[in-house]
Amino acid sequence: GAVVSQHPSRVICKSGTSVKIECRSLDFQATTMFWYRQFPKKSLMLMATSNEGSKATYEQGVEKDKFLINHASLTLSTLTVTSAHPEDSSFYICSAAEHDQETQYFGPGTRLLVL
Amino acid sequence: AQKITQTQPGMFVQEKEAVTLDCTYDTSDPSYGLFWYKQPSSGEMIFLIYQGSYDQQNATEGRYSLNFQKARKSANLVISASQLGDSAMYFCAMREPPFMDTGRRALTFGSGTRLQVQP
C-alpha cells in the first residue's frame, strides 16, 4: 500500500513552546490529508482536514490558532501545536489517500509530551 | 449520534482459532465505505480491509474477511487462524458520503476492540 511518513515520532517539549509535526506522502500525491488525535486507550478523533493550497477545515472544538495546519505541497502537510500545554500531550496521527482511491493510509504517529 | 459502534471492548481468542470482531454503523447515505484498521502497541494504524457499500461480495484479504450485512448495518471482521501477532487494538471506521462527488472525507472511528491471542 501507499506509504505515509510522519516526523518526529516522539517529542518532549516545555510548556509554552511550539512543536511542528510533518506528514508526508512518500509515493503518491495527496491533495487532502487528515490530522487525528488519540488519547490513551481512546479512539481516533478527527482534528482537521488539510487541503493543499487552501485553508484547513477544522472540526468543532478544535482551535485553529492553536493547531496551525499548512499544506504547502501535494506531499507535505504540517501541524504546529502553538504554545503547547500539558493538556496537549497526546498521540497525533495523519492520514492520506491516493487520488481516486478509497483506502486511507496512516503515518506512524507522533507522541507529544508537554512538560 | 454515534455512527460506528464496537460493542466489544476486549476479546480473547486461542491461537489458531477464528475470531469475529463486531461493528455496526449508522448512515442515511447509500454510498459509504467501511474499513478495519489494526493498531499494535507501537501506535501505527495498519489498514486491513475495505468494503464499499455497493460491493456485492464480502471483502477478503488473506486471513481477514469482512462479514458485510447491509440490511443490519453491520460489518464484522473475521480473523481466521489467529496468531500471537494479531494481539492489538482493532478499529472499525466509516467514510461517508461519496468521496468522488463531495471531495475526500475523513474517517469516523469506533471505540475499538482490544484482541488478545492466547497461546
Side-chain angles (χ1 to χ4, degrees), chain A residues 30-35 48-58 64 67-79, chain B residues 102-104:
Chain A
T31 55
T32 305
M33 292 183 177
F34 302 97
W35 287 96
T49 301
S50 172
N51 303 298
E52 188 269 336
S54 64
K55 291 182 179 180
T57 304
Y58 290 82
K64 62 180 181 181
F67 298 99
L68 299 179
I69 291 174
N70 185 13
H71 196 151
S73 77
L74 288 172
T75 59
L76 174 64
S77 174
T78 60
L79 167 68
Chain B
T102 62
R104 193 161 302 283

Side-chain angles (χ1 to χ4, degrees), chain A residues 62-101:
Chain A
V62 178
E63 299 176 58
K64 62 180 181 181
D65 293 331
K66 180 165 187 61
F67 298 99
L68 299 179
I69 291 174
N70 185 13
H71 196 151
S73 77
L74 288 172
T75 59
L76 174 64
S77 174
T78 60
L79 167 68
T80 301
V81 183
T82 62
S83 186
H85 288 118
E87 56 265 31
D88 298 326
S89 298
S90 188
F91 186 63
Y92 294 88
I93 190 166
C94 68
S95 75
E98 296 183 70
H99 180 63
D100 290 349
Q101 296 297 312

Side-chain angles (χ1 to χ4, degrees), chain A residues 103, chain B residues 34-36 47-52 55-68 76-80:
Chain A
T103 301
Chain B
L34 297 160
F35 302 78
W36 277 92
F47 166 72
L48 296 178
I49 198 165
Y50 163 77
Q51 179 85 42
D55 293 343
Q56 295 295 315
Q57 294 186 327
N58 287 346
T60 60
E61 289 284 351
R63 293 187 298 111
Y64 305 107
S65 61
L66 199 151
N67 184 2
F68 182 44
N76 298 338
L77 176 71
V78 180
I79 305 175
S80 63

Side-chain angles (χ1 to χ4, degrees), chain A residues 31-32 34 36 38 41-44 46 49 91 93 97-108 111, chain B residues 32-33 35 37 39 41-45 47 50 91 95 99-100 104-107 109-112 114:
Chain A
T31 55
T32 305
F34 302 97
Y36 296 84
Q38 185 180 29
K41 301 187 186 301
K42 298 294 185 182
S43 187
L44 278 71
L46 178 68
T49 301
F91 186 63
I93 190 166
E98 296 183 70
H99 180 63
D100 290 349
Q101 296 297 312
E102 271 281 16
T103 301
Q104 293 190 20
Y105 293 93
F106 284 81
R111 295 193 186 277
Chain B
Y32 52 89
F35 302 78
Y37 287 86
Q39 187 178 44
S41 57
S42 59
E44 59 186 315
M45 293 288 285
F47 166 72
Y50 163 77
F91 290 98
R95 186 278 306 152
F99 77 101
M100 291 292 288
R104 193 161 302 283
R105 294 295 299 272
L107 302 180
F109 286 85
S111 55
R114 179 166 296 282

